[in-house]
Amino acid sequence: MEQKKYLPNLDQRIALFDLIITLNKEALEYFGNANCALIFHVLELEQYKNFRERGQIEFSVGVTLSYLAERTGLPKSTVHDQLKKMLEQDIFVKEGQKYKFKIGPDGKPVIQTKFPKGLASLRKFTNFLRNSNLVKE
């Protein structure tokens, strides 16, 4: 009973961490290394922050190399090398100084078709947050 007092919604928190691990695992499998997966998650985060501010998904939001290095804690040279690899996978683009998700002819991010397992995991994660008592809208 003591746990309930200090950790409300413990089952939901456990489920949340399980979904986070699954999402990270899917990104790691897709990209082949943890640095690329981490950079990918920062780009995802920026999409969610933009959604929170504007109420709509706008995949034209991009981030700079410096911002990615700051957010990930990785050296700029490492981030730069990883971004080169990610650009070769044709799911990201560089426009000016910003890196962002590549948009296909259908107006949707190319990553939706190239990384379907990760997208499915991200949808589960998003739905969980929407339906849980852990966050308030």
Side-chain angles (χ1 to χ4, degrees):
M1 283 300 200
E2 249 347 91
Q3 285 183 340
K4 295 271 185 198
K5 182 177 179 183
Y6 295 108
L7 294 171
N9 305 318
L10 181 58
D11 290 337
Q12 286 183 322
R13 291 170 191 244
I14 291 168
L16 176 63
F17 280 106
D18 187 52
L19 287 168
I20 291 169
I21 289 168
T22 300
L23 185 58
N24 286 325
K25 180 181 153 221
E26 300 295 348
L28 182 57
E29 286 177 6
Y30 181 80
F31 292 108
N33 74 55
N35 291 339
C36 287
L38 184 57
I39 291 166
F40 168 70
H41 288 310
V42 171
L43 287 166
E44 283 181 312
L45 174 64
E46 291 308 309
Q47 301 308 313
Y48 276 101
K49 285 167 57 178
N50 185 62
F51 179 76
R52 180 184 64 203
E53 292 168 10
R54 298 175 190 226
Q56 64 184 21
I57 296 289
E58 185 181 322
F59 289 100
S60 62
V61 173
V63 294
T64 63
L65 173 69
S66 295
Y67 181 79
L68 287 168
E70 178 185 323
R71 290 291 299 178
T72 61
L74 298 169
K76 278 186 184 181
S77 59
T78 301
V79 173
H80 184 261
D81 291 345
Q82 299 307 312
L83 284 168
K84 277 197 232 177
K85 292 177 189 174
M86 295 170 83
L87 289 170
E88 289 171 6
Q89 292 178 334
D90 205 34
I91 55 175
F92 300 103
V93 294
K94 181 178 180 189
E95 291 182 7
Q97 296 299 311
K98 293 192 174 187
Y99 297 86
K100 53 182 80 173
F101 288 103
K102 181 177 182 177
I103 305 301
D106 60 357
K108 296 180 182 176
V110 173
I111 197 162
Q112 289 186 354
T113 54
K114 291 195 173 195
F115 186 35
K117 281 176 70 177
L119 186 62
S121 296
L122 184 59
R123 281 192 183 125
K124 286 180 188 174
F125 177 75
T126 303
N127 288 335
F128 177 86
L129 289 177
R130 211 180 272 146
N131 297 319
S132 75
N133 293 325
L134 295 176
V135 293
K136 300 195 190 272
E137 294 188 40

